[in-house]
């Protein structure tokens, strides 16, 4: 990367090093996929253990498979990339890199909540570096990234614009006789044409419709080969990413003439969610913001139970086991307060209908990064 790219990452390094200094660390070992990308600009799956070493002074060092060295050197803003061949011990390579930097007996910060920092990894590194002291900083990998910098917000906004255009582009093209798979293919192709990292459109499936119960299982259902019929409600969730930064948008698409109740349900949900999103100001307690939607949905009888969150953090998405970031999520026990720069996917669902937006918390009023009209889409 260029010097300007290094400057773009300087505020991130400063934020990380402030946390390191507060914990008395000499270095930090990053093995959380999103944090690795946030630190250096490049990330890779954990086919074999990989990590970024961040000393208190000087530039980081990326340790990874030799086959990935080329893309890594092209992607990161710093120079040092240490490699190992596939038959070699990845943890040993990380330990050797730490020793080469004079950190074999150092206080090394780690995030035990990181998906990359398994019990096996912790035990192996402790055995290889008996003189080091590993300082647990639980949740640091997510907390550092909670408030986005301007360039991160720009990337999320670009992804949101793709979601908006793709959703509107489906209108008039979702008709009886098509399969859900064909609609998903249309959405995937549109996202790629519009500049998304990949074509994965997110969950697209026929909802459970009206009737008894809360009918929220459709949010994570299946059935791509289902043929659309008149009166179906197609649940569409779009999840485009730009430079690994994602935005999300949900709308129901009515196939033919929808049940009158479905349109009424959507309107009720949208109005309740509007009140919730309007309260997303700096200092607001997440549990109070959650209650604005949750309590009203239950009180109006739209749902008889509410077991899921009403929103969760958005930002970087890398190759980890989690498709959604619940490190900061809205539920009755949420104990954090909103801060400028946080971005959330806020969603409401009931009776086979769902609506969602990607929302930025600003120093003033909240800003919807997704701007698709807040109405059902007509197939």
């Amino acid at each position: 990367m260029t010097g300007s790219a290094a400057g773009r990452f300087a505020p991130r390094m400063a934020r990380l090093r402030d946390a390191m200094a507060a914990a008395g660390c000499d270095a930090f070992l990053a093995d959380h996929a999103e944090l690795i990308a946030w630190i250096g600009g490049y990330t890779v799956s954990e086919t074999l253990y990989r990590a970024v070493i961040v000393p208190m002074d000087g530039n980081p060092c990326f340790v990874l498979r030799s086959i990935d060295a080329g893309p890594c050197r092209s992607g990161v803003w710093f120079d040092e990339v240490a490699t190992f061949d596939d038959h070699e011990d990845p943890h040993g390579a990380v330990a050797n890199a730490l020793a080469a930097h004079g950190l074999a007996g150092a206080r090394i910060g780690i995030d035990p909540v990181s998906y990359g920092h398994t019990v096996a990894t912790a035990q192996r590194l402790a055995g290889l570096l008996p003189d080091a002291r590993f300082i647990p900083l639980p949740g640091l990998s997510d907390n550092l990234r909670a408030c986005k910098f301007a360039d991160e917000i720009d990337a999320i906004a670009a992804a949101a614009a793709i979601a908006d255009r793709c959703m509107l582009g489906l209108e008039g093209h979702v008709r009886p006789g098509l399969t859900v798979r064909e609609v998903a293919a249309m959405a995937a192709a549109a996202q790629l044409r519009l500049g998304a990292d990949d074509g994965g459109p997110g969950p697209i499936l026929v909802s459970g419709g009206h009737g008894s119960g809360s009918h929220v299982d459709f949010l994570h259902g299946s059935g791509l080969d289902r043929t659309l019929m008149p009166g179906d409600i197609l649940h569409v969730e779009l999840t485009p990413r730009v430079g690994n930064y994602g935005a999300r948008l949900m709308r129901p698409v009515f196939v033919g003439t929808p049940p009158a109740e479905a349109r009424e349900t959507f309107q009720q949900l949208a109005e309740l969610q509007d009140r919730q999103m309007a309260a997303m100001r700096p200092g607001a307690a997440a549990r109070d913001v959650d209650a604005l939607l949750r309590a009203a949905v239950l009180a109006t009888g739209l749902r008889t139970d509410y077991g899921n969150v009403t929103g969760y953090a958005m930002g970087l998405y890398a190759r980890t086991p989690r498709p959604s970031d619940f490190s900061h999520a809205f539920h009755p026990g949420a104990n954090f307060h909103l801060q400028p720069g946080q971005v959330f996917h806020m969603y409401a669902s009931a009776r086979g209908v769902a609506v969602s937006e990607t929302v930025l918390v600003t120093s003033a009023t909240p800003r919807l990064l997704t701007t698709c009209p807040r109405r059902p889409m007509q197939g």
Side-chain angles (χ1 to χ4, degrees), residues 351-377:
R351 298 178 177 175
V353 173
V355 57
S356 80
E357 307 291 351
T358 298
V359 184
L360 168 67
V361 180
T362 76
S363 58
T365 57
R367 173 187 165 197
L368 271 61
L369 297 181
T370 42
T371 61
C372 181
R374 283 175 63 73
R375 58 173 171 78
M377 301 289 109

Side-chain angles (χ1 to χ4, degrees), residues 69-328:
C72 180
R73 288 192 173 98
S74 298
V76 298
W77 56 269
F78 46 86
D79 295 326
E80 190 170 358
V81 176
T83 65
F84 55 87
D85 291 338
D86 287 356
H87 66 278
E88 297 179 305
D89 175 19
H91 296 102
V94 171
N96 289 340
L98 284 163
H101 285 79
L103 297 168
R107 293 168 56 90
I108 302 170
I110 54 94
D111 181 358
V113 181
S114 164
Y115 286 107
H117 207 81
T118 64
V119 172
T121 288
Q123 292 174 344
R124 180 69 175 139
L125 290 174
L128 290 166
L129 299 166
D131 295 328
R133 180 178 174 187
F134 291 94
I135 310 299
L137 302 172
L140 183 66
S141 302
D142 289 323
N143 293 333
L144 284 171
R145 301 179 299 102
C147 295
K148 310 300 187 284
F149 292 104
D151 60 300
E152 298 181 279
I153 294 170
D154 288 344
I156 298 172
I162 291 173
D164 290 334
R165 292 179 63 185
C166 183
M167 188 70 77
L168 289 170
L170 290 176
E171 276 206 302
H173 298 283
V174 180
R175 62 184 184 276
L178 289 177
T179 64
V180 176
R181 185 182 300 278
E182 288 173 310
V183 178
M186 285 192 284
Q191 290 189 172
L192 281 171
R193 283 196 302 269
L194 292 168
D197 293 350
D198 54 44
I204 295 180
L205 42 102
V206 175
S207 76
H210 280 61
S212 62
S214 59
H215 290 287
V216 294
D217 290 345
F218 69 91
L219 292 175
H220 295 121
S222 60
L224 286 174
D225 294 316
R226 162 81 178 269
T227 299
L228 295 174
M229 304 291 290
D232 277 343
I233 303 172
L234 189 66
H235 167 70
V236 177
E237 179 179 359
L238 301 177
T239 62
R241 295 179 298 116
V242 173
N244 286 327
Y245 284 87
R248 299 192 175 184
L249 174 69
M250 290 183 190
R251 292 290 187 275
V253 178
F254 293 158
V255 183
T257 303
E261 303 96 318
R263 192 174 295 277
E264 181 182 343
T265 295
F266 182 92
Q267 187 62 37
Q268 287 180 280
L269 285 175
E271 289 175 358
L272 296 176
Q273 190 184 57
D274 282 342
R275 298 176 198 169
Q276 181 191 38
M277 293 188 299
M280 295 177 65
R281 297 171 180 265
R287 63 166 64 92
D288 294 341
V289 174
D290 172 78
L292 288 172
L293 179 70
R294 184 181 303 273
V297 167
L298 292 172
T300 56
L302 287 169
R303 288 173 63 164
T304 57
D305 59 80
Y306 214 130
N308 59 285
V309 301
T310 62
Y312 53 85
M314 289 296 299
L316 263 170
Y317 285 90
R319 296 177 181 178
T320 71
R322 69 176 181 193
S324 299
D325 181 355
F326 276 26
S327 61
H328 291 80

